[in-house]
Amino acid sequence: MAYSTDRVLQSYLEDFGAGGEIYAQPDMLLNDYFALVNSNIASGKTDAFIAETIVIQSVINLDGAVRNHATITRTHNGKDQKDWWYNKQNKNYFQLFTPLGTTLIAIDGHDGRTHPELRTNTLGTRDEDLVAIEDTAVWLPQFRVEQSLQFGKTVFANYLTTPPGETRSLTFDYELPKKIPLDAERELNYRFIFERQSGSTATFSYRITAPQGFFWQESDSPEFAFVTSNPDRRMILDLTLLQR
């Protein structure tokens, strides 16, 4: 990634795909977004042996509400490594980026604990950008996660710890803020955006199911599925919902 204070050069870097910026969603009625950001917290170099899979299953209900079920699976393959920095437990602070206004329904598999060591005001320094984000943070006791607003996204965060030689999974259910107007007498354009954290690798799977009486033009079926073992840094799926 690269950054320049020269706006023309920075625009070129972003067009080239080297800017590292988070996707700024246009004000579209039918739009979904997902990004997973992982942070290694005192876990040595164990990230080198973490195999990660991200699966998102999206369902459009008859009332137009869109509900997603995400599963993040992490396997720690560093158990047999002789170097201690590879076979430590992987303590991962995850952040789930979703559309602004997303409602959390359920989450399971995470550590469910607070993270005071990440607070900037405990480090004796103040970064104004970080403080602005932290000022939006609220603790959701019923889910034991922190919710914040970052870059026009609703973000849910906590820890997911994976011991050497073991697998851990995080499941996450949520509803998008806008409903699809299924009574509209026209084809409906639907966009899903997935962004991969720079430098990370993961297998990604996405499946979306249309409501009864509708189908996706791209698959000629009520279901549309996409799987890749090497997702692009930014993946945009433009779909068309039609009524039979």
Side-chain angles (χ1 to χ4, degrees):
M1 295 187 295
Y3 174 76
S4 173
T5 56
D6 184 300
R7 293 186 178 182
V8 174
L9 179 55
Q10 178 62 19
S11 178
Y12 171 78
L13 292 171
E14 293 176 5
D15 290 342
F16 186 70
E21 76 286 353
I22 289 179
Y23 181 77
Q25 293 172 261
D27 188 19
M28 297 173 61
L29 182 61
L30 311 178
N31 211 355
D32 193 3
Y33 176 93
F34 185 83
L36 168 64
V37 176
N38 295 316
S39 299
N40 179 319
I41 307 297
S43 302
K45 302 300 181 182
T46 54
D47 283 354
F49 289 92
I50 296 294
E52 186 172 69
T53 300
I54 302 170
V55 177
I56 296 180
Q57 297 171 301
S58 185
V59 175
I60 303 175
N61 296 327
L62 286 173
D63 63 354
V66 182
R67 289 198 172 188
N68 290 351
H69 176 76
T71 303
I72 299 164
T73 303
R74 292 169 64 86
T75 299
H76 191 334
N77 295 313
K79 181 179 181 180
D80 296 327
Q81 299 299 312
K82 64 178 181 179
D83 297 312
W84 64 267
W85 50 82
Y86 289 137
N87 58 33
K88 293 185 64 176
Q89 69 174 2
N90 180 264
K91 185 169 64 172
N92 179 55
Y93 178 68
F94 65 84
Q95 296 182 84
L96 305 169
F97 283 70
T98 66
L100 185 65
T102 289
T103 300
L104 180 60
I105 298 172
I107 187 168
D108 188 46
H110 62 305
D111 295 4
R113 58 189 177 87
T114 57
H115 53 283
E117 68 270 26
L118 293 181
R119 289 297 183 204
T120 57
N121 59 12
T122 67
L123 302 176
T125 60
R126 284 180 63 86
D127 181 290
E128 295 305 322
D129 292 328
L130 292 178
V131 170
I133 290 174
E134 290 182 353
D135 283 346
T136 71
V138 294
W139 179 252
L140 305 181
Q142 68 274 41
F143 302 115
R144 296 191 60 79
V145 297
E146 186 175 77
Q147 176 182 299
S148 63
L149 304 179
Q150 301 184 39
F151 309 103
K153 308 292 188 295
T154 295
V155 181
F156 303 97
N158 205 271
Y159 284 92
L160 178 62
T161 300
T162 307
E166 298 187 21
T167 297
R168 292 290 186 271
S169 291
L170 170 74
T171 58
F172 173 54
D173 294 274
Y174 56 103
E175 184 171 313
L176 301 190
K178 295 181 179 180
K179 292 185 177 181
I180 297 177
L182 297 176
D183 55 349
E185 295 182 0
R186 57 184 175 84
E187 64 181 34
L188 297 171
N189 297 319
Y190 190 87
R191 170 173 286 185
F192 174 79
I193 304 101
F194 170 77
E195 286 195 304
R196 177 177 54 81
Q197 183 179 6
S198 178
S200 68
T201 59
T203 296
F204 177 76
S205 173
Y206 174 72
R207 181 184 300 273
I208 184 168
T209 302
Q212 185 176 3
F214 291 81
F215 69 100
W216 299 105
Q217 178 176 288
E218 289 71 19
S219 62
D220 193 27
S221 167
E223 286 193 340
F224 174 85
F226 178 88
V227 179
T228 177
S229 60
N230 185 29
D232 293 337
R233 183 185 71 84
R234 176 178 295 150
M235 186 185 70
I236 299 177
L237 297 176
D238 283 317
L239 304 175
T240 305
L241 185 63
L242 301 174
Q243 190 169 12
R244 291 198 183 278

